[in-house]
Amino acid sequence: MPTALDRLLASPSALRALRRLVNSPELPAIWIPALNGRHSTPSQRRGCSTSKKAESKAAWWSELLQYRERVYGRDGIRDVWLGMARRGFKLPTIGKDAEFLWGTLIKNREIITQVLDHATHLYKETGQFYPALYEKCMTFWLPRHPLKALQYHQMLVKRLRLRKLPLRELAQLAKTSLTDESLKMFKKIYTSSNERDIYDHIVPILIDKGQIALAREWHITCFDRRDFPSLSVESHPVVQLLTAENSSSTFSVPKTSHRYAKDADTIIKRFKFADVDRDPQTRIPKYNRILMRRLIAREIEPVRFDDPFCARLFATRAFPPASIIKGLSMVGVNEIGPEALRAMGLRTEPLREMSERFKELKEAGIAIRGCVFSLALEKYTMERNFTLVQSILESDQHPDVFQDSALQRKLLDYYLGQGDWAQAHRTLAVLTLFHNDPNTESWNLILQARVRQFNADHVTQVLQDMQANGVLLSGESLVSIRGLLRRRQRGRRPGASARGEFDDLRFVARTFMFILESGIGFIPPLAWREIIRRYGMMGRFKELRRLIFWLLYWYAIRSRTAFAELPKSVFLDHATAKMRRTYPHPDHYFNLPPWLSQQHPMHPLRQLFPPAWQQGLIVWGFKAGLLPNAALEQSMFSSPASKRHYRRRFLKSGVLSRQSWSVGLRTLVELRDAGLFVQSYTVAKALRMQLMVLFGRGKSNKRENRIMEDVNTISYGEYVKEVNAIWGQTLFREPECRRKRRSESMTDVKLESEQAKELWSKS
């Protein structure tokens, strides 16, 4: 089998490109004809503008760099850079080619200094530089070589005179790739910069990863630079503890929350942070800040007896609870713990007098130690929910167990599975204690529990109940539903389901559609990418077509001119109006202006159907039409007919039929005719790749590609004719004459390949 270079050089287009490159000191004035599928006349070449020439050169270098990197790795990147330098090529500063060229060249340690020197030269000469150069450079080098990253940071800041640095984007790397050494260098970069407002992007990540010591260091560093958390992050219990520690060490007020509350209010008023939830969907604060502050601190130094001892005092029947409270006050006790509070509650008869006990404690100057059990008991007593108070008091759980939210979620799953609604209600009350909207949070917790139990009927029933009660889904609930999809490796279709015949993909897709149509939540367009990608990978084109056209009708931003004639769901207007009232944030897809271009990255159709997905749709069509074992979507039939051993019978009778290789291209054309922005270059690139698989000289490493090549019975000319007919205009030139015999063609190409090798080595 010939090498990759031999296979490349065997193609006539590569030979023409190499001859031009060797015979001319400058690059071709326009794109190489083989790359755009048509020849250009001399008059057209003379009429090209300088900008188009520059774009053509950049595109040509991008293609060459992509190939050399794939075949030779870092050595290929270095060789292409040296070729650019010899020809005096100036890297572009805008466009996709600039993104690829800069992003690839800075990955090579041997040439990165020269690349940065080139950026400096461009900046001095033209006053321009590639805007994302700093971010790409630091994103690549900070996790891999922190010391080098610091050097490159200093070079870029000094030479390009950078004032605004994308540190918030770099902080996101802490989730996956930043080591302890990388974080140290990142802290040096942060402290030497003018940037603020990265607290929310670094400290919560370290807390979630369990790196509390690092989180404390960053907390102190950010506070020293007056970089304070937003209200949504401030409500996090660990952040509040860190703030209390920092406040105590700074203001020398030990074990007090009064000063902290005053300082927090001052920070809020001074910097006017938005009162948003940790989920950016809503601006309603999720947690009750008063209860959260009571959980972590007190206003005065506590004086307490041992909690079990106080509990035994309340449990004795020799004295009533009121007398014991007075006695504790006389000896100077000003705080009691949860065990004493439980014993006091169990001695209170009738239970509705429990509110009097809390009043007596307050009058005696005795506070309740901040913990979930005590705060829950006090809150539900004041709300006169004595059924819940009774359940909390008589629970067989230790008061400390109420602090463990993970264990409480497991208990919720168990109680719901057993149908024990009394204990499930108590567990929900504990889990939603600090939420401003406990009813909504309770419904979402039930839904998440049903998803973890994996009972499709129960999940559907809970969603219908939430619709009937007007309860909105939280972001955590949507993530849990999406988690029902079986795992898959990147670039591969999902494996067999561990749940038998249950169709997880169809269930999640239909559930998302129900959520949107019922108006109980909104699903961002990016959440659908994995679903439509799986439909395509599994060859389920009938269901894929139904879904993507439904998504087009739902997410299209309609105006008087754009998408005005598209069909509309009867639920669309009502659900959209409800989402706009509930979530007024301007970045949500239903609040975007109607004049927004489809090429804008925020446009929902751009997020749903990007160019990479459009190319994938064409590739999936080839696989569905040529692979012998392609899915025939028999799963759409009823249970008996969906069994695999009926497949051959249905094929003979015509009940099932194979898809055409052009089903992906035809679907894309229908989307284009409906208003979706589709570039001919994107389509031509995907088709060219597939035709290379079928008619190329070498053999693909992928088994599916080799099978398609072996079973293919359609000639190249037929493919080209049908492609042009479907697209409606010429994408490829139709062959004018029949090809030579394969043996003669291979001999000619082999001779040309040897000549091309010599030319390449000389260049």
Side-chain angles (χ1 to χ4, degrees):
M1 176 177 174
T3 63
L5 179 60
D6 292 334
R7 294 198 303 273
L8 174 70
L9 298 178
S11 62
S13 60
L15 293 174
R16 289 195 300 268
L18 289 173
R19 290 192 187 101
R20 285 194 179 192
L21 182 62
V22 172
N23 296 331
S24 174
E26 294 292 332
L27 290 176
I30 61 170
W31 189 271
I32 297 176
L35 296 180
N36 65 0
R38 64 179 185 271
H39 289 292
S40 59
T41 64
S43 60
Q44 290 174 332
R45 288 196 294 268
R46 287 193 299 269
C48 290
S49 64
T50 305
S51 61
K52 289 188 176 181
K53 289 182 180 180
E55 290 175 1
S56 300
K57 290 181 181 180
W60 191 91
W61 281 113
S62 297
E63 291 282 344
L64 182 60
L65 180 59
Q66 184 178 6
Y67 165 73
R68 298 285 293 183
E69 181 190 17
R70 184 176 68 252
V71 177
Y72 301 103
R74 293 183 178 178
D75 292 339
I77 298 175
R78 180 199 58 209
D79 294 340
V80 173
W81 167 252
L82 294 177
M84 292 178 180
R86 284 196 298 268
R87 290 163 179 81
F89 175 69
K90 297 180 181 180
L91 292 176
T93 57
I94 58 174
K96 292 184 178 179
D97 295 320
E99 179 182 359
F100 176 74
L101 289 172
W102 288 103
T104 305
L105 293 173
I106 56 97
K107 296 179 182 178
N108 193 314
R109 185 183 303 179
E110 300 177 14
I111 64 172
I112 182 174
T113 304
Q114 302 174 29
V115 175
L116 297 183
D117 291 338
H118 180 70
T120 306
H121 176 73
L122 284 178
Y123 178 71
K124 291 181 179 179
E125 182 177 329
T126 64
Q128 298 178 351
F129 61 92
Y130 177 56
L133 177 60
Y134 180 88
E135 182 178 353
K136 286 188 175 295
C137 183
M138 301 305 295
T139 300
F140 182 83
W141 287 105
L142 190 59
R144 294 169 175 80
H145 203 307
L147 188 58
K148 289 285 186 184
L150 183 61
Q151 297 175 2
Y152 301 148
H153 156 78
Q154 295 170 349
M155 292 173 60
L156 287 169
V157 172
K158 182 178 179 180
R159 296 182 180 183
L160 303 182
R161 300 178 182 179
L162 300 178
R163 295 294 178 266
K164 185 71 175 176
L165 302 179
L167 299 190
R168 283 185 290 184
E169 290 76 10
L170 294 179
Q172 298 300 318
L173 297 175
K175 293 181 180 179
T176 54
S177 55
L178 290 188
T179 62
D180 292 346
E181 186 65 25
S182 301
L183 286 171
K184 289 181 181 178
M185 294 302 170
F186 183 56
K187 187 187 292 186
K188 290 183 179 180
I189 294 173
Y190 167 62
T191 53
S192 63
S193 69
N194 299 322
E195 299 300 318
R196 301 293 187 274
D197 298 338
I198 75 161
Y199 187 104
D200 293 2
H201 303 272
I202 186 68
V203 176
I205 293 175
L206 297 176
I207 292 174
D208 293 340
K209 293 177 66 176
Q211 299 177 331
I212 305 301
L214 277 175
R216 181 180 288 107
E217 294 178 9
W218 273 94
H219 172 89
I220 296 172
T221 302
C222 291
F223 265 60
D224 289 344
R225 293 174 54 79
R226 306 201 66 77
D227 186 352
F228 303 108
S230 63
L231 293 185
S232 58
V233 175
E234 182 191 7
S235 63
H236 194 290
V238 178
V239 174
Q240 293 203 4
L241 287 173
L242 295 176
T243 306
E245 292 178 3
N246 192 36
S247 176
S248 299
S249 61
T250 303
F251 301 106
S252 302
V253 186
K255 298 183 180 180
T256 175
S257 66
H258 178 72
R259 182 64 177 270
Y260 158 70
K262 181 178 179 181
D263 293 335
D265 292 337
T266 302
I267 292 171
I268 294 170
K269 292 178 180 178
R270 179 170 181 178
F271 292 92
K272 298 181 180 179
F273 288 118
D275 195 10
V276 296
D277 182 17
R278 60 178 176 178
D279 184 357
Q281 297 178 0
T282 176
R283 292 183 179 275
I284 302 174
K286 189 169 185 177
Y287 296 105
N288 187 315
R289 298 179 63 192
I290 298 176
L291 283 178
M292 292 296 294
R293 286 175 177 173
R294 289 190 58 190
L295 180 67
I296 65 171
R298 281 181 46 84
E299 294 187 357
I300 58 175
E301 179 73 22
V303 177
R304 62 173 77 101
F305 280 172
D306 185 54
D307 196 26
F309 174 75
C310 291
R312 289 194 296 271
L313 286 178
F314 279 107
T316 181
R317 296 188 177 276
F319 303 99
S323 300
I324 297 174
I325 292 173
K326 292 180 180 179
L328 291 174
S329 177
M330 291 176 62
V331 297
V333 173
N334 62 3
E335 183 182 85
I336 60 174
E339 295 184 35
L341 194 62
R342 167 180 274 178
M344 185 188 74
L346 292 174
R347 283 287 316 278
T348 302
E349 295 179 359
L351 192 59
R352 60 177 176 269
E353 294 183 0
M354 189 69 177
S355 57
E356 293 296 325
R357 300 287 86 81
F358 283 108
K359 183 178 179 181
E360 292 168 358
L361 286 171
K362 185 176 181 180
E363 292 175 349
I366 300 177
I368 298 171
R369 187 187 308 171
C371 67
V372 174
F373 177 87
S374 301
L375 295 176
L377 200 60
E378 181 183 12
K379 177 183 177 182
Y380 297 123
T381 297
M382 297 308 173
E383 293 177 357
R384 306 193 67 79
N385 191 344
F386 295 114
T387 302
L388 191 54
V389 171
Q390 185 79 27
S391 178
I392 294 174
L393 290 173
E394 295 179 354
S395 171
D396 57 355
Q397 302 176 33
H398 191 274
D400 293 344
V401 175
F402 287 79
Q403 303 274 140
D404 192 343
S405 60
L407 179 58
Q408 291 297 319
R409 288 176 182 267
K410 293 180 180 179
L411 290 174
L412 178 62
D413 295 350
Y414 175 77
Y415 295 146
L416 290 176
Q418 297 295 320
D420 190 347
W421 284 100
Q423 298 206 67
H425 181 57
R426 181 193 66 232
T427 308
L428 286 171
V430 172
L431 288 171
T432 61
L433 174 65
F434 299 100
H435 289 77
N436 283 331
D437 191 356
N439 180 57
T440 298
E441 187 65 20
S442 296
W443 276 107
N444 280 278
L445 288 174
I446 293 175
L447 177 62
Q448 294 165 29
R450 292 304 191 188
V451 170
R452 287 193 296 270
Q453 295 169 358
F454 191 69
N455 190 316
D457 294 335
H458 287 172
V459 171
T460 304
Q461 184 62 48
V462 173
L463 287 171
Q464 292 174 352
D465 292 341
M466 295 177 73
Q467 179 191 15
N469 290 277
V471 179
L472 298 177
L473 266 76
S474 64
E476 293 88 346
S477 296
L478 293 174
V479 171
S480 67
I481 294 173
R482 188 173 178 272
L484 290 174
L485 296 174
R486 70 191 86 164
R487 292 189 177 184
R488 71 173 184 90
Q489 294 182 0
R490 185 176 182 180
R492 298 186 180 182
R493 68 182 66 183
S497 174
R499 304 184 180 102
E501 297 182 355
F502 176 75
D503 194 336
D504 55 347
L505 182 58
R506 184 181 299 163
F507 178 79
V508 173
R510 291 182 176 179
T511 301
F512 276 12
M513 294 169 70
F514 172 80
I515 292 170
L516 287 174
E517 292 180 341
S518 59
I520 58 176
F522 82 89
I523 300 174
L526 290 176
W528 289 96
R529 275 198 184 178
E530 179 64 19
I531 295 175
I532 58 180
R533 185 183 293 117
R534 289 180 181 233
Y535 271 124
M537 285 183 166
M538 299 171 71
R540 298 166 63 171
F541 260 89
K542 292 181 181 178
E543 293 180 271
L544 175 62
R545 283 174 54 85
R546 294 177 185 176
L547 178 60
I548 59 180
F549 281 103
W550 186 92
L551 293 173
L552 175 68
Y553 301 154
W554 189 274
Y555 284 94
I557 302 178
R558 301 171 187 262
S559 64
R560 295 180 179 178
T561 56
F563 305 108
E565 302 299 327
L566 282 183
K568 183 184 296 186
S569 170
V570 295
F571 307 100
L572 179 60
D573 291 338
H574 175 73
T576 303
K578 183 178 180 180
M579 291 298 101
R580 286 171 177 167
R581 291 193 304 268
T582 308
Y583 305 113
H585 198 280
D587 289 342
H588 295 322
Y589 69 89
F590 40 77
N591 292 327
L592 294 175
W595 44 261
L596 190 68
S597 171
Q598 286 192 45
Q599 301 183 48
H600 194 280
M602 290 295 295
H603 197 285
L605 296 187
R606 176 74 176 186
Q607 296 181 356
L608 279 171
F609 312 121
W613 178 87
Q614 297 174 14
Q615 294 178 354
L617 184 63
I618 297 174
V619 174
W620 297 330
F622 272 88
K623 292 181 179 180
L626 296 180
L627 289 177
N629 62 340
L632 302 180
E633 300 185 74
Q634 194 174 346
S635 60
M636 297 180 66
F637 295 162
S638 60
S639 181
S642 63
K643 297 186 183 240
R644 194 170 184 83
H645 58 267
Y646 288 106
R647 175 185 175 117
R648 184 175 298 177
R649 183 187 307 176
F650 288 159
L651 280 172
K652 289 182 178 180
S653 61
V655 176
L656 287 177
S657 60
R658 295 186 179 277
Q659 296 280 1
S660 170
W661 63 268
S662 61
V663 60
L665 179 60
R666 293 181 185 274
T667 303
L668 191 59
V669 170
E670 292 181 38
L671 291 172
R672 180 199 66 183
D673 296 341
L676 180 68
F677 178 74
V678 182
Q679 284 185 315
S680 59
Y681 169 76
T682 301
V683 178
K685 183 178 180 180
L687 290 169
R688 190 180 298 113
M689 291 171 57
Q690 287 305 113
L691 294 176
M692 284 292 294
V693 168
L694 298 177
F695 301 101
R697 300 290 179 179
K699 288 287 186 179
S700 173
N701 293 328
K702 292 186 178 180
R703 184 170 177 269
E704 289 183 341
N705 292 343
R706 296 197 299 271
I707 293 175
M708 288 194 295
E709 182 181 2
D710 293 338
V711 302
N712 177 49
T713 59
I714 307 174
S715 67
Y716 174 79
E718 293 176 357
Y719 276 113
V720 171
K721 288 180 181 179
E722 188 166 356
V723 164
N724 293 337
I726 294 172
W727 186 249
Q729 52 183 309
T730 302
L731 280 178
F732 298 101
R733 290 177 301 153
E734 297 183 9
E736 299 177 357
C737 59
R738 303 179 63 180
R739 292 178 176 270
K740 296 181 180 179
R741 287 183 302 173
R742 185 175 181 85
S743 59
E744 297 177 1
S745 177
M746 286 297 293
T747 302
D748 294 344
V749 171
K750 186 175 181 181
L751 293 174
E752 293 183 357
S753 176
E754 294 176 355
Q755 297 174 3
K757 284 184 181 179
E758 297 179 2
L759 295 175
W760 181 266
S761 61
K762 292 179 181 179
S763 63

